[in-house]
Amino acid sequence: MKENGLTIKAQIGYGSAAIGDAVSYTLINTFILFFLTTQAGIQPAAAGLLTSIGSLWNAAINPIIGYLTDHTRTSMGRRRPFLLFFCIPMCLAMILLFSDNNFSYYGKLIYYGFMIIIYWTAYTGFYVPYSALGADYSQDYDDRIRIRLVASFFNSIGMCIGMALPMSIIDAFKGSGMTDANSWRLMALLLGVTTAITIICTFFFSKKYDVCKNLQKNEKMEPLHIGKMFKSYLQLLSLKPLRLLLVASLFYVITYAIITSDFMYYLTYNQELTAGAITLVMIGRCAANPIMLPIISKLCEKTDKKTAMLIVVAVLSACCIILRFVNIHGFLMLGIYIFIMGATCSSYWQLMPAMFYDICEYDELMTGQRREGEILAIQGLTETVAAGLGVQIMGIILQFAGFDGTVAVQSETAICWIYNNTTWIPAVFLIVAGIAIIKYPITKAVYEDIIQKIADRKDK
């Protein structure tokens, strides 16, 4: 069965790893700050600093992974070896990150700081080549929307697993007599194994689309040349459309990180929900994603990716601002809020990667080079820095608001700022992201003109 050149099997094969991506990413971004502050006994500002250290490390290795995957030539392809190599360390790091221990306070800081670095190293080693692999599947504008549609569908499954199930799993283990520490650790084990299995599936199914042309027998991998790598990235950053997308991505993901990290605090302390009720709310948020996928896809067909992204930003901004002045009372109103947040936040992961794919052709037109890995590495670097900044901002706010993870009831000041972290504070960052998207020049018509110019140049 085919749809405009890409078989459904190919799209599913690529999308499988999106489950593991979302399980891992969502688990870390939703629960790691909560775990560190309420289970491991780390102060909020210190916990936020740990996540920022991981982000800084990720920022350092993102360009290296991107450059390496563009210059890797093996019988298994350019991208697939990275998927296979890094999925197991990522699984192990997830387990160790959610393992409490009897170390001293400073010993815990060192331990969790080290584990966060290991995790982000493995995640980046998987994610950058995986993202670049999507651009290798097709250069067709609409095909790329479709492959992101399927990947986003699987991503929504992974989000549901990584966001909605952990508290229920932990609650079930605790109900069977396990300690809190063992319950968190076993939950991470289950989700870590799920992550690894789905990534390995994509490794096998993507073989046809990751082929090194004219590969010579016993061909050696090009060594990492730092000077050439920096020169290549500086050249990419001279591309105005790429810079605008990076600004939009930076401020949008800061928003996403603040809202996502604040979510558990808001449901636990502001709404005073039980673990079971939190699970239902999380499922509701995850359910918004598959509902929105065909809507976003149809919107892209009627307009283009840029317009669809602008609408998403506008809706989420309005939602955040309105909710600051309208207190959320009752499960129905909470459900509406969760659905809107889930729908607009998840739409980013459907649209933004496809927009970065289009930069690959713009780069080819302007420079004559194809650097999918490096372009997606810059995106990954930006998102990682943004996620770290978002969590750090939230951690600092909670610290100064007087949040105390050892008590069940928080002060009025802490409750107020937990609410601010999910309303007007994210809206400020979203407005900046919207301005960058307005200035972004690559519409569907512009992209088709780029493709035509590349084809004309090859025919000469």
Side-chain angles (χ1 to χ4, degrees), residues 54-106:
S55 297
L56 289 173
W57 173 254
N58 199 351
I61 64 170
N62 244 292
I64 297 174
I65 296 295
Y67 187 86
L68 287 175
T69 188
D70 275 347
H71 293 82
T72 294
R73 288 174 60 80
T74 73
S75 59
M76 290 193 296
R78 295 191 297 169
R79 323 294 184 191
R80 294 168 65 246
F82 290 85
L83 273 63
L84 185 63
F85 181 81
F86 283 106
C87 67
I88 302 301
M90 183 162 67
C91 168
L92 293 175
M94 290 168 63
I95 299 167
L96 294 174
L97 263 176
F98 287 96
S99 295
D100 196 6
N101 51 65
N102 295 320
F103 297 160
S104 67
Y105 184 77
Y106 291 103

Side-chain angles (χ1 to χ4, degrees), residues 19-289:
I19 296 177
D21 173 23
V23 167
S24 176
Y25 189 88
T26 304
L27 177 68
I28 296 299
N29 280 280
T30 304
F31 291 98
I32 191 60
L33 194 67
F34 187 79
F35 172 81
L36 292 177
T37 55
T38 64
Q39 300 296 317
I42 307 296
Q43 291 295 317
L49 179 61
L50 288 178
T51 63
S52 295
I53 290 172
S55 297
L56 289 173
W57 173 254
N58 199 351
I61 64 170
N62 244 292
I64 297 174
I65 296 295
Y67 187 86
L68 287 175
T69 188
D70 275 347
H71 293 82
T72 294
R73 288 174 60 80
T74 73
S75 59
M76 290 193 296
R78 295 191 297 169
R79 323 294 184 191
R80 294 168 65 246
F82 290 85
L83 273 63
L84 185 63
F85 181 81
F86 283 106
C87 67
I88 302 301
M90 183 162 67
C91 168
L92 293 175
M94 290 168 63
I95 299 167
L96 294 174
L97 263 176
F98 287 96
S99 295
D100 196 6
N101 51 65
N102 295 320
F103 297 160
S104 67
Y105 184 77
Y106 291 103
K108 287 185 177 184
L109 291 179
I110 294 171
Y111 171 80
Y112 288 114
F114 180 72
M115 284 299 109
I116 284 173
I117 288 174
I118 295 297
Y119 169 77
W120 284 116
T121 299
Y123 179 82
T124 304
F126 146 73
Y127 180 75
V128 172
Y130 175 63
S131 296
L133 182 61
D136 292 335
Y137 265 67
S138 176
Q139 293 183 1
D140 181 77
Y141 188 89
D142 292 324
D143 263 352
R144 286 177 169 178
I145 294 175
R146 294 185 187 96
I147 199 170
R148 287 308 311 171
L149 171 68
V150 174
S152 294
F153 173 76
F154 283 108
N155 194 271
S156 68
I157 296 174
M159 282 182 63
C160 187
I161 295 172
M163 184 180 291
L165 293 187
M167 293 308 295
S168 288
I169 294 173
I170 291 167
D171 202 39
F173 283 142
K174 287 167 64 177
S176 67
M178 287 188 183
T179 63
D180 283 5
N182 284 335
S183 298
W184 279 90
R185 187 180 297 112
L186 285 175
M187 176 277 295
L189 171 64
L190 291 175
L191 270 60
V193 171
T194 301
T195 295
I197 290 173
T198 56
I199 293 172
I200 291 172
C201 286
T202 291
F203 168 81
F204 285 108
F205 282 108
S206 60
K207 181 178 180 180
K208 175 182 175 182
Y209 299 92
D210 187 21
V211 178
C212 296
K213 297 180 180 179
N214 303 317
L215 182 66
Q216 302 298 316
K217 187 176 181 180
N218 298 323
E219 182 175 331
K220 294 183 178 179
M221 180 176 171
E222 180 181 331
L224 176 63
H225 193 293
I226 300 297
K228 287 183 179 180
M229 184 183 74
F230 275 105
K231 183 178 180 181
S232 181
Y233 279 110
L234 287 173
Q235 187 181 52
L236 282 173
L237 290 173
S238 69
L239 304 176
K240 184 177 179 181
L242 178 59
R243 294 199 306 271
L244 289 168
L245 267 193
L246 291 175
V247 171
S249 181
L250 176 71
F251 284 90
Y252 198 104
V253 175
I254 287 176
T255 300
Y256 180 85
I258 292 174
I259 292 175
T260 302
S261 297
D262 188 67
F263 206 46
M264 277 298 298
Y265 294 93
Y266 177 71
L267 296 179
T268 302
Y269 298 106
N270 292 56
Q271 293 293 327
E272 300 180 341
L273 299 184
T274 64
I278 289 175
T279 297
L280 290 176
V281 169
M282 294 293 195
I283 291 174
R285 178 171 174 176
C286 296
N289 194 4

Side-chain angles (χ1 to χ4, degrees), residues 141 145 299-309 351 442-445:
Y141 188 89
I145 294 175
L299 185 60
C300 287
E301 290 179 12
K302 297 294 183 181
T303 57
D304 55 27
K305 301 167 194 172
K306 172 182 175 177
T307 303
M309 194 71 218
L351 291 169
I442 302 180
T443 61
K444 183 175 183 179

